[in-house]
C-alpha cells in the first residue's frame, strides 16, 4: 500500500497548483502523517495542534483540509460517517489502484478499514451502462462490531 505523502510531496503539489507550503499547511499535514489510520475531524486536528502549542485558528484548519482534499492536491479524503461532521484521512490507495472502504459500528462509532475491493465489476458496469467516467468512490457499511 502506498502510505501517504511526505512534506516534499505536498510541497511539489502545492507549487504545481501555485500555492505555497505555509507552516500551517505543513503542521496540518504532519498531524495526519503522525496519525496514520485515524479519521480526524477538523476540530480534532485543531485541538492536536493547539495542544502542541501551535497558534492556528480553526478556520485555517478547515481551509487547509479543504485544499488538501481538492482534486489538484488529492492528499486527504473527506468522509461523512453520519455524525454531522466531516472526517479526514490521508488518501491511501492500494497497490492495485483501489481505495479501502469503511465499516462503521452504530453502537460504539468504531471505524474499521476494509481493503478488499469487490466493486470493480460493478464500477465497470455502471460506467458502461450510464456512459459515466468514474474517477472515485466511497463505500460505507453500517452495522455492529
Amino acid at each position: 500500500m502506498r502510505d501517504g505523502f511526505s512534506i516534499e510531496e505536498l510541497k511539489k503539489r502545492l507549487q504545481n497548483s501555485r500555492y505555497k507550503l505555509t507552516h500551517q499547511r505543513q503542521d496540518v499535514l504532519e498531524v495526519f502523517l503522525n496519525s496514520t489510520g485515524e479519521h480526524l475531524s477538523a476540530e480534532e486536528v485543531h485541538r492536536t495542534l493547539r495542544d502542541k502549542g501551535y497558534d492556528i485558528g480553526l478556520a485555517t484548519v478547515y481551509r487547509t483540509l479543504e485544499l488538501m482534499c481538492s482534486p489538484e492536491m488529492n492528499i486527504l479524503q473527506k468522509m461523512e460517517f453520519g455524525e454531522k461532521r466531516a472526517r479526514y484521512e490521508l488518501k491511501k490507495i492500494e497497490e492495485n489502484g483501489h481505495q479501502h472502504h469503511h465499516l462503521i459500528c452504530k453502537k460504539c462509532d468504531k471505524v474499521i478499514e476494509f481493503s478488499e475491493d469487490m466493486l470493480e465489476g460493478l464500477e465497470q458496469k455502471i460506467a458502461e451502462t450510464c456512459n459515466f467516467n468514474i474517477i472515485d468512490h466511497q463505500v460505507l457499511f453500517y452495522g455492529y462490531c
Side-chain angles (χ1 to χ4, degrees), residues 33-141:
L33 292 173
N34 295 326
S35 304
T36 48
E38 293 189 45
H39 307 86
L40 303 172
S41 68
E43 293 82 3
E44 289 167 335
V45 172
H46 181 251
R47 188 176 327 108
T48 299
L49 292 170
R50 298 291 290 196
D51 289 349
K52 290 182 178 183
Y54 294 106
D55 183 25
I56 186 168
L58 183 57
T60 301
V61 171
Y62 272 107
R63 282 192 304 273
T64 301
L65 293 173
E66 290 303 315
L67 174 65
M68 289 185 190
C69 289
S70 68
E72 63 243 358
M73 295 295 111
N74 203 27
I75 289 173
L76 295 180
Q77 180 173 342
K78 181 178 182 178
M79 297 155 295
E80 300 281 342
F81 291 148
E83 55 187 1
K84 298 185 181 171
R85 68 175 166 176
R87 293 201 168 267
Y88 303 84
E89 71 175 340
L90 283 173
K91 186 119 181 185
K92 294 180 269 184
I93 298 176
E94 308 296 326
E95 289 176 10
N96 63 5
H98 294 290
Q99 296 181 34
H100 63 276
H101 305 298
H102 298 93
L103 311 174
I104 298 111
C105 179
K106 296 295 283 179
K107 184 175 182 181
C108 71
D109 294 325
K110 181 177 181 180
V111 177
I112 302 164
E113 293 184 354
F114 179 71
S115 293
E116 191 171 336
D117 193 346
M118 298 174 273
L119 299 176
E120 191 171 317
L122 178 60
E123 259 185 61
Q124 186 175 357
K125 182 163 180 63
I126 290 169
E128 290 170 4
T129 303
C130 300
N131 193 26
F132 189 77
N133 181 27
I134 298 171
I135 58 168
D136 197 4
H137 70 269
Q138 288 185 27
V139 177
L140 306 174
F141 294 95

